Amino acid sequence: MTETKVLASACRDWWVACVAADTEAARQARAQLRRAASVAAVLGVGATHELNRYLADAGCDIRGRRDGPDRLALIAMALAQVTNDARATAAQQFGAGDPKALSSLRFNALVRTKEPRQLMEPLARALRIIEGSANVRRLAADLYWWGDAIRTNWCFDYHGATRARPDREETKA
């Protein structure tokens, strides 16, 4: 299993047990993470550190990354917004409908954001607009690897286009 699949499964397992469950602890964690307005506030929630344990146990210790705490906080906060583990990705949900669920202006601002810390607020707002319906595994993996390639993929998903892949002949040149 690839690192991305292991990471995505660990995040979904955490979401099911610690955020989406119908328990007092999960309701409390969900509320705290949804209200958190900063990395420090998210890191102050015990469920965030439980996510870190799930990731570490799966061999994806996020603390080793330069921006590890920011990524951990972003993933925890974003997954706390998800109320329905949908088949469609967040970007596909943002681009659904006519007019689109998330305006192109808001979407473009979202995908231009490079730093996890700066992505927290606009992403939380966007996830609320689609009523928390997104693919948990894919959202977690995308936020873990957030960068140019993921942002490009989100643009294709948002616009309902097939991702660009060069022809074999083009790659040989």
Side-chain angles (χ1 to χ4, degrees):
M1 195 180 279
T2 67
E3 182 181 9
T4 298
K5 286 183 180 179
V6 169
L7 158 85
S9 290
C11 288
R12 186 176 186 285
D13 291 347
W14 171 82
W15 179 79
V16 167
C18 299
V19 176
D22 188 21
T23 65
E24 184 60 35
R27 282 189 291 276
Q28 183 178 5
R30 226 177 9 252
Q32 289 173 332
L33 289 168
R34 286 178 180 170
R35 282 193 312 264
S38 67
V39 169
V42 174
L43 293 175
V45 177
T48 303
H49 297 282
E50 190 63 27
L51 171 59
N52 190 53
R53 280 190 281 284
Y54 273 72
L55 289 169
D57 290 349
C60 301
D61 194 347
I62 201 166
R63 293 173 300 175
R65 295 180 62 145
R66 174 190 57 80
D67 61 355
D70 288 3
R71 298 262 176 182
L72 179 65
L74 175 62
I75 293 167
M77 177 283 309
L79 294 185
Q81 309 298 323
V82 177
T83 57
N84 174 39
D85 187 10
R87 185 171 183 186
T89 67
Q92 288 169 334
Q93 300 278 44
F94 295 150
D98 186 22
K100 294 185 180 299
L102 190 68
S103 72
S104 61
L105 189 64
R106 279 191 177 193
F107 178 77
N108 288 330
L110 191 67
V111 294
R112 281 194 311 266
T113 306
K114 293 184 178 183
E115 297 301 318
R117 180 178 295 260
Q118 297 167 336
L119 185 58
M120 287 179 65
E121 185 181 332
L123 181 60
R125 195 175 318 121
L127 289 167
R128 284 191 296 271
I129 288 170
I130 60 169
E131 298 175 349
S133 185
N135 185 289
V136 170
R137 284 182 176 94
R138 179 74 181 279
L139 180 60
D142 285 355
L143 297 177
Y144 183 83
W145 297 112
W146 190 256
D148 290 343
I150 297 298
R151 294 183 359 239
T152 298
N153 289 342
W154 275 41
C155 290
F156 281 98
D157 284 353
Y158 176 81
H159 291 288
T162 304
R163 293 195 180 127
R165 292 202 171 99
D167 292 337
R168 286 184 175 265
E169 296 301 316
E170 290 179 45
T171 57
K172 291 180 182 176

